[in-house]
């Protein structure tokens, strides 16, 4: 018996046009429901949630609908003595949320509203002897944190604060025989880690170290008959991989290797026509995370109704141009 490919079926009546206004209304309303069960439940990742919401609003040219002062106050209150920033007030600082906060402040051109030197010290202090980065003081090592570290410092114009050569050597030690990357040396290739590692190598000017054809082939194999992309073999497609896989392909100059029309159809089918927002798969519950990556994926596919997204930082390209930050891509 042949193995059955795990996939979804897109119904003929699935949405096939971009419901931009509905998505803007959905995100604008999401943050205002502070007593909502779903909102309180997500406190442990609040900072990233704000980043997802603000970035997608900016991509849709709707950033002015969000409460800038309230958000900046929240970030200031979430910065700790050590310089790191937490998911929410009273939580422990972490590199993931520190990057989200710096991205938000960069969108608002307000990086100076926090203690930048302390942020730089915090990131510096998390680099290990082998060049890797811990996510926080508890010491978990993951290539995601290598990306978070250099992305944070690049946005602050302070990349020279860490040992970039050692950091590069660690990330390259996580490269696998299939061209992909895992979270640590010897870990299996995964699209999310590949995005982080190719993004890291782009920021550090080391993309030439990637075998773009081999890696591009692995990434293209993530496209399923439905047009959707999965994160590794034998998994269902998910809208967020329309970002992780597609952005990595864009970074290594191989985005033309997938069927863009089929992927676009899959992403659009994941919209909720009534509430707005995108789900992981057609018919599931929508959330801000998948809404950002759905819109960002469409931007990479050339969607003209939204701003051009930078494939490394997942922020509008114009924002990075404003601060004079250019990412290297293999073209």
């Amino acid at each position: 018996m042949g193995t059955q490919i795990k996939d979804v079926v897109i119904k003929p009546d699935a949405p096939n046009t971009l419901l931009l206004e509905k998505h803007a209304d959905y995100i604008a309303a999401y943050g205002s429901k502070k007593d909502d069960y779903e909102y309180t439940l997500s406190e442990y990742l609040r900072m990233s949630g704000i980043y997802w919401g603000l970035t997608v609003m900016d991509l849709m040219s709707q950033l002015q609908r969000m409460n800038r002062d309230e958000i900046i106050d929240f970030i200031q209150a979430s910065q700790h003595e050590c310089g790191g920033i937490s998911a929410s007030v009273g939580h422990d600082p972490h590199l993931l949320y520190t990057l989200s906060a710096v991205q938000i402040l960069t969108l608002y051109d307000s990086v100076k509203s926090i203690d930048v030197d302390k942020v730089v010290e915090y990131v510096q202090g998390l680099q290990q002897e082998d060049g890797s980065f811990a996510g926080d003081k508890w010491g978990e090592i993951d290539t995601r944190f290598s990306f978070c570290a250099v992305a944070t410092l690049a946005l602050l114009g302070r990349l020279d604060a860490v040992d970039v050569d050692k950091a590069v050597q660690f990330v390259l030690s996580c490269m696998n025989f299939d061209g992909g990357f895992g979270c640590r040396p010897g870990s299996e290739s995964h699209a999310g880690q590949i995005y982080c590692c190719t993004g890291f190598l782009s920021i550090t000017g080391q993309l030439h170290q990637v075998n773009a054809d081999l890696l591009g082939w692995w990434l293209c194999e993530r496209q399923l008959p439905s047009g959707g992309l999965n994160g590794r073999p034998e998994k269902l497609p998910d809208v967020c991989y329309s970002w992780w896989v597609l952005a990595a392909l864009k970074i290594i100059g191989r985005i033309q290797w997938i069927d863009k029309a089929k992927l676009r159809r899959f992403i659009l089918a994941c919209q909720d026509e009534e509430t707005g927002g995108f789900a992981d798969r057609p018919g599931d519950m929508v959330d801000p995370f998948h809404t950002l990556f759905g819109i960002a994926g469409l931007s990479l596919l050339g969607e003209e109704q939204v701003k051009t997204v930078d494939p490394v930082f997942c922020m509008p390209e114009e924002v990075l141009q404003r601060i004079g930050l250019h990412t290297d891509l293999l073209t």
Side-chain angles (χ1 to χ4, degrees):
M1 272 177 64
T3 54
Q4 187 76 32
I5 293 180
K6 288 185 176 174
D7 201 2
V8 297
V9 175
I10 296 177
K11 294 179 179 161
D13 62 348
N16 58 11
T17 56
L18 181 56
L19 311 168
L20 213 55
E21 283 179 31
K22 292 234 176 198
H23 302 318
D25 290 344
Y26 163 71
I27 295 289
Y30 190 86
S32 62
K33 301 176 187 159
K34 299 212 173 20
D35 301 328
D36 203 349
Y37 176 66
E38 190 185 353
Y39 186 85
T40 47
L41 206 61
S42 62
E43 189 185 22
Y44 69 96
L45 47 75
R46 174 80 68 248
M47 193 66 72
S48 293
I50 295 171
Y51 156 70
W52 302 327
L54 292 184
T55 302
V56 74
M57 287 299 262
D58 200 354
L59 287 171
M60 297 187 292
S61 303
Q62 296 285 322
L63 188 59
Q64 73 285 355
R65 292 179 63 177
M66 309 304 269
N67 190 331
R68 180 179 185 273
D69 294 342
E70 187 186 327
I71 288 161
I72 292 174
D73 289 347
F74 172 74
I75 293 175
Q76 288 173 325
S78 301
Q79 186 173 23
H80 291 247
E81 277 294 304
C82 63
I85 298 168
S86 51
S88 195
V89 180
H91 289 235
D92 286 343
H94 196 288
L95 255 181
L96 287 170
Y97 307 119
T98 302
L99 172 58
S100 292
V102 169
Q103 287 173 303
I104 294 163
L105 293 174
T106 304
L107 289 179
Y108 278 135
D109 206 6
S110 300
V111 166
K112 295 206 166 50
S113 61
I114 52 167
D115 189 331
V116 171
D117 289 339
K118 290 293 252 181
V119 173
V120 174
E121 263 176 53
Y122 175 70
V123 177
Q124 252 175 343
L126 291 170
Q127 188 169 26
Q128 308 299 301
E129 197 47 48
D130 64 356
S132 66
F133 285 85
D136 59 14
K137 65 181 181 184
W138 306 111
E140 183 192 357
I141 304 294
D142 190 312
T143 45
R144 283 183 307 157
F145 309 146
S146 294
F147 171 75
C148 290
V150 299
T152 300
L153 295 174
L155 288 169
L156 298 174
R158 302 286 292 275
L159 198 51
D160 57 351
V162 292
D163 189 328
V164 174
D165 292 340
K166 269 191 169 179
V168 169
Q169 288 314 309
F170 174 75
V171 167
L172 291 176
S173 76
C174 300
M175 193 191 291
N176 292 321
F177 69 93
D178 54 18
F181 293 84
C183 55
R184 284 181 291 280
S187 300
E188 73 163 319
S189 296
H190 182 283
Q193 307 295 149
I194 289 168
Y195 161 77
C196 289
C197 293
T198 53
F200 169 95
L201 294 169
S202 169
I203 292 168
T204 55
Q206 295 292 319
L207 266 179
H208 59 276
Q209 308 266 16
V210 171
N211 183 334
D213 286 348
L214 185 63
L215 177 53
W217 181 253
W218 190 93
L219 289 165
C220 292
E221 295 244 286
R222 305 282 58 79
Q223 189 163 36
L224 295 163
S226 64
L229 299 165
N230 63 16
R232 52 200 164 124
E234 304 297 317
K235 297 290 182 183
L236 284 168
D238 183 323
V239 156
C240 69
Y241 291 109
S242 308
W243 174 257
W244 314 121
V245 174
L246 207 55
L249 282 167
K250 176 78 173 170
I251 291 167
I252 64 168
R254 301 293 183 275
I255 197 167
Q256 68 280 12
W257 284 14
I258 60 152
D259 188 326
K260 291 184 179 180
K262 282 179 82 170
L263 177 56
R264 180 184 160 81
R265 179 171 163 253
F266 171 81
I267 297 173
L268 293 174
C270 296
Q271 301 174 101
D272 188 311
E273 290 176 288
E274 287 174 30
T275 64
F278 287 76
D280 57 349
R281 287 179 274 282
D284 286 358
M285 282 287 290
V286 300
D287 59 66
F289 174 82
H290 289 95
T291 302
L292 167 60
F293 294 126
I295 293 281
L298 289 170
S299 175
L300 288 176
L301 292 172
E303 173 54 59
E304 289 175 358
Q305 291 184 73
V306 297
K307 293 180 185 178
T308 305
V309 72
D310 179 87
V312 174
F313 288 92
C314 194
M315 294 165 68
E317 210 173 64
E318 62 184 33
V319 173
L320 299 174
Q321 286 169 350
R322 186 180 72 217
I323 63 169
L325 191 57
H326 300 285
T327 46
D328 294 323
L329 306 179
L330 288 182
T331 45

